[in-house]
């Protein structure tokens, strides 16, 4: 069934998965009415715990997410999953299709899996991603697993979206540990050494533990969890660590910090989107159009023209 826009928020709050899918699709397409409909859901969100799963490509993020779904459902938890895929340069849609790896959960109504395209966002958090997280929350999902694209060691978009950020590494990253200090090392709450059966795992574990022992975040020392996600080894321990971090946030009165970051990021993304649309409109009319023409003809340099435009606006 396809609902008209004005009914979507109400249906989502009733737990209607088709309505949620319809709203998410409209958010991805940048429909203004969808974001206004989303605003009706915001007062009803804040209950979910968002777990960001980030790290370099090939570390096993999707396999780990698949195993976490299995363990969470075994404990009777409602789970939402947001998988960020690279954008196809031809269709604009998501490629790789991580959902194919999780088809065994597709018939479980307690699991809602959504793939999102990056839409050109280097860090992987598109305009609609934060909104999709809010829709998952409004559906009553207790845990939302947010897997980023994994563009490199400096990717910190998971930090803006998550309550608990899990950084996934493998023994192959041992020589690149120093790179973590530029981004993921400073923001990660839990570090997972996946493929821990490979050569070099023990050395990598030692390096991680030594480095993290010097970093505290309000009395929270990031733990290191060893996993073999393809076999399900260490996943139960990882979930225990996630729940420990959740309890830590509650105890310290920091439970809402992740949600505040998400909403702030959503505001910034929408503001950028609206300003960009308005700018394109202004460049096609009046003084700005004439100023742009002078730049194109080499009569005025771009920097001076931009400063003049800002003063005029």
């Amino acid at each position: 069934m396809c609902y008209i826009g004005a009914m979507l928020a109400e249906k989502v709050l009733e737990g209607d998965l088709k309505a949620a899918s319809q709203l998410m699709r409209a958010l991805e397409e940048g429909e203004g009415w969808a974001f206004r409909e989303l605003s009706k859901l915001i007062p009803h969100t804040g209950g979910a715990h968002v777990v960001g799963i980030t790290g370099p490509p090939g570390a096993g993020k999707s396999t780990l997410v698949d195993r976490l779904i299995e363990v969470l459902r075994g404990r009777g938890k409602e789970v939402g999953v947001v998988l960020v895929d690279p954008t196809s340069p031809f269709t604009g849609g998501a490629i790789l299709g991580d959902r194919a790896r999780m088809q065994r959960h597709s018939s479980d109504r307690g699991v809602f899996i959504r793939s999102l395209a990056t839409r050109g966002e280097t860090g992987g958090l598109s305009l609609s991603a934060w909104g999709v997280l809010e829709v998952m929350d409004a559906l009553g999902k207790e845990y939302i697993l947010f897997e980023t694209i994994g563009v490199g060691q400096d990717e910190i978009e998971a930090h803006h979206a998550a309550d608990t950020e899990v950084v996934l590494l493998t023994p192959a990253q041992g020589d690149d540990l120093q790179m973590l200090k530029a981004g993921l090392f400073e923001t990660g709450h839990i570090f997972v050494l996946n493929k821990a059966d490979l050569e070099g795992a023990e050395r990598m574990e030692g390096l991680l533990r030594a480095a993290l022992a010097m970093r505290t975040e309000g009395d929270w020392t990031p733990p290191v969890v060893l996993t073999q996600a393809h076999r399900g080894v260490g996943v139960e321990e990882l979930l225990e660590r996630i729940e420990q971090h959740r309890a830590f946030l509650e105890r310290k009165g920091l439970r809402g910090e992740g949600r505040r970051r998400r909403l702030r990021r959503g505001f910034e993304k929408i503001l950028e989107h609206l300003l960009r649309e308005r700018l394109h409109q202004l460049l096609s009319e009046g003084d700005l159009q004439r100023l742009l023409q002078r730049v194109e003809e080499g009569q005025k340099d771009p920097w001076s023209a931009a400063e003049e435009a800002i003063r005029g606006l």
Side-chain angles (χ1 to χ4, degrees), residues 35 58 66 73 142 145 193 197 222 226 250 258 275 284 289 306:
F35 286 96
D66 180 61
R73 290 301 291 146
E142 299 167 86
L145 308 178
L193 183 56
D197 53 331
L226 273 60
E250 293 276 6
L275 288 173
S284 65
Q289 184 186 37

Side-chain angles (χ1 to χ4, degrees), residues 62 72 94 109 117 142 171 214 231 245 257 270 299:
S62 294
L72 284 165
R109 287 188 60 84
E142 299 167 86
M214 298 182 289
R231 297 172 54 193
H245 185 251
E257 286 300 309
I270 290 177
Q299 298 174 9

Side-chain angles (χ1 to χ4, degrees), residues 165-217:
E165 182 181 1
V166 176
V167 179
L168 193 61
L169 301 170
T170 70
Q173 268 84 54
D175 294 334
D176 299 326
L177 186 59
Q178 291 298 319
M179 292 175 64
L180 287 171
K181 293 181 179 178
L184 295 180
F185 182 86
E186 299 169 349
T187 63
H189 300 119
I190 300 170
F191 286 77
V192 172
L193 183 56
N194 193 32
K195 305 180 182 180
D197 53 331
L198 297 182
E199 183 180 354
E202 186 175 343
R203 174 177 173 273
M204 178 64 167
E205 179 189 6
L207 288 170
L208 265 177
R209 292 191 186 280
L212 292 170
M214 298 182 289
R215 199 208 97 173
T216 60
E217 182 185 324

Side-chain angles (χ1 to χ4, degrees), residues 96-308:
L96 294 185
D98 281 333
R99 278 182 292 181
R101 306 176 190 176
M102 304 177 192
Q103 283 303 305
R104 64 196 184 106
H105 303 294
S106 62
S107 60
D108 185 349
R109 287 188 60 84
V111 180
F112 194 112
I113 301 174
R114 185 80 184 185
S115 283
L116 295 178
T118 57
R119 306 283 180 176
E121 296 286 346
T122 305
L125 193 64
S126 65
L127 170 66
S128 62
W130 74 274
V132 168
L133 291 171
E134 294 299 314
V135 175
M136 293 267 190
D137 194 342
L139 274 173
K141 299 306 178 187
E142 299 167 86
Y143 280 85
I144 302 174
L145 308 178
F146 177 71
E147 179 195 325
T148 72
I149 188 174
V151 296
Q153 301 286 28
D154 60 346
E155 180 194 326
I156 59 170
E157 284 291 6
H159 174 70
H160 295 296
D163 299 298
T164 298
E165 182 181 1
V166 176
V167 179
L168 193 61
L169 301 170
T170 70
Q173 268 84 54
D175 294 334
D176 299 326
L177 186 59
Q178 291 298 319
M179 292 175 64
L180 287 171
K181 293 181 179 178
L184 295 180
F185 182 86
E186 299 169 349
T187 63
H189 300 119
I190 300 170
F191 286 77
V192 172
L193 183 56
N194 193 32
K195 305 180 182 180
D197 53 331
L198 297 182
E199 183 180 354
E202 186 175 343
R203 174 177 173 273
M204 178 64 167
E205 179 189 6
L207 288 170
L208 265 177
R209 292 191 186 280
L212 292 170
M214 298 182 289
R215 199 208 97 173
T216 60
E217 182 185 324
D219 301 325
W220 175 262
T221 300
V224 178
V225 180
L226 273 60
T227 64
Q228 297 173 45
H230 66 291
R231 297 172 54 193
V233 176
V235 180
E236 291 272 2
E237 181 187 350
L238 172 58
L239 184 54
E240 292 298 329
R241 294 295 191 175
I242 291 171
E243 292 183 343
Q244 286 173 12
H245 185 251
R246 184 175 189 170
F248 165 81
L249 294 175
E250 293 276 6
R251 190 168 61 251
K252 292 293 184 178
L254 301 173
R255 179 71 181 88
E257 286 300 309
R259 182 166 185 262
R260 278 190 282 273
R261 285 195 301 270
R262 286 192 293 279
L263 292 175
R264 181 169 61 244
R265 199 62 167 171
F267 167 74
E268 291 171 353
K269 291 287 184 180
I270 290 177
L271 186 59
E272 289 171 7
H273 174 72
L274 294 177
L275 288 173
R276 192 177 300 115
E277 283 193 338
R278 180 61 176 147
L279 179 59
H280 287 315
Q281 180 183 350
L282 290 172
L283 286 172
S284 65
E285 59 187 31
D287 293 340
L288 274 189
Q289 184 186 37
R290 288 188 288 273
L291 185 60
L292 176 59
Q293 186 176 355
R294 292 178 63 195
V295 171
E296 292 174 339
E297 294 173 352
Q299 298 174 9
K300 195 172 185 66
D301 71 276
W303 180 269
S304 299
E307 288 186 320
E308 182 179 331

